[in-house]
């Protein structure tokens, strides 16, 4: 009995003096604990409750139909889209390039197929206005004028509702 005990103590000492830890060895695969089936079942039930209910799915379908018909669009958006449509109606062959699209300002550059007319459209979301520049004959001159704030604006429309000054 003493030999077995001494032999086990010797093996334990060898294991503790290993130069390379066992859990870092290439042939060691950590298996971990098996999953708790009760916990897994509870998690599945909780995830089912996070799915969309029928009312929300019906709302999404209804909203999609309204998107197609354009019924839920606000008045400000309608004015802006009408302004862009007026530009396109005036010169149907104009194509558009986005110059600047930030939270505050959206600027588009319209030009014709021959690239002889360039118009800048600017919508400022902070100050709530939409304006269009005069027609430029050179693209670089148009962009330089816009960058240096020397653009000549020929049409200006405010999206902001009129202020009520007649309240007194």
């Amino acid at each position: 009995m003493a030999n077995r005990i001494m032999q086990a103590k010797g093996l334990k000492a060898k294991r503790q003096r290993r130069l390379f830890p066992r859990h870092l060895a290439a042939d060691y695969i950590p298996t971990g604990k098996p999953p708790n089936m009760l916990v897994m079942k509870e998690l599945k039930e909780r995830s089912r409750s996070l799915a969309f209910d029928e009312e929300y799915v019906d709302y999404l379908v209804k909203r999609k139909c309204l998107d197609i018909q354009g019924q839920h669009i606000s008045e400000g958006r309608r004015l802006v889209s009408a302004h862009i449509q007026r530009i396109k109606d005036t010169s149907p062959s104009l194509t558009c390039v986005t110059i600047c699209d930030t939270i505050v300002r959206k600027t588009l550059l319209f030009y014709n197929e021959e690239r002889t007319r360039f118009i800048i459209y600017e919508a400022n979301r902070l100050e709530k206005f939409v304006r269009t520049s005069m027609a430029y004959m050179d693209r670089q001159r148009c962009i330089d004028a816009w960058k240096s704030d020397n653009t000549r604006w020929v049409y200006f429309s405010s999206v902001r509702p009129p202020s009520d000054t007649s309240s007194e």
Side-chain angles (χ1 to χ4, degrees):
M1 178 144 163
N3 287 339
R4 275 190 284 154
I5 293 173
M6 293 306 288
Q7 190 178 13
K9 285 185 177 182
L11 287 172
K12 182 178 178 184
K14 280 184 182 177
R15 278 197 313 261
Q16 289 178 347
R17 284 192 304 255
R18 285 180 67 106
L19 295 175
F20 193 76
R22 178 81 178 141
H23 68 279
L24 297 177
D27 60 337
Y28 176 72
I29 301 172
T31 56
K33 295 179 183 178
N36 187 340
M37 297 312 286
L38 293 174
V39 173
M40 295 302 291
K41 185 176 180 182
E42 184 180 339
L43 287 175
K44 285 182 183 177
E45 290 296 323
R46 286 184 186 173
S47 66
R48 270 196 211 117
S49 69
L50 296 175
F52 296 135
D53 58 343
E54 290 298 319
E55 293 175 15
Y56 186 68
V57 172
D58 292 340
Y59 166 76
L60 290 177
V61 169
K62 187 177 178 182
R63 180 68 186 232
K64 185 73 173 175
C65 292
L66 290 177
D67 282 347
I68 293 170
Q69 298 168 3
Q71 292 178 356
H72 75 284
I73 299 172
S74 66
E75 187 64 29
R77 264 183 207 239
R78 285 193 184 141
L79 287 173
V80 168
S81 61
H83 185 66
I84 291 177
Q85 191 60 41
R86 272 194 301 265
I87 293 173
K88 289 184 178 179
D89 291 342
T90 304
S91 304
S93 63
L94 288 180
T95 52
C96 170
V97 174
T98 303
I99 298 175
C100 174
D101 191 7
T102 61
I103 296 171
V104 176
R105 177 166 68 172
K106 181 176 185 176
T107 307
L108 305 173
L109 176 70
F110 289 92
Y111 59 92
N112 60 359
E113 291 175 354
E114 297 84 33
R115 296 185 183 207
T116 56
R117 289 186 63 192
F118 297 90
I119 299 172
I120 293 181
Y121 160 84
E122 182 176 271
N124 192 322
R125 297 176 182 124
L126 188 65
E127 298 172 14
K128 297 191 186 322
F129 66 80
V130 176
R131 57 189 179 180
T132 309
S133 74
M134 64 176 256
Y136 287 90
M137 299 301 170
D138 183 31
R139 177 183 60 90
Q140 192 59 43
R141 185 174 175 198
C142 180
I143 293 174
D144 288 342
W146 174 74
K147 283 183 179 177
S148 63
D149 288 334
N150 291 331
T151 309
R152 292 186 183 173
W153 302 105
V154 293
Y155 182 80
F156 175 86
S157 68
S158 177
V159 182
R160 180 174 292 164
S163 59
D164 187 21
T165 55
S166 62
S167 63
E168 292 182 23

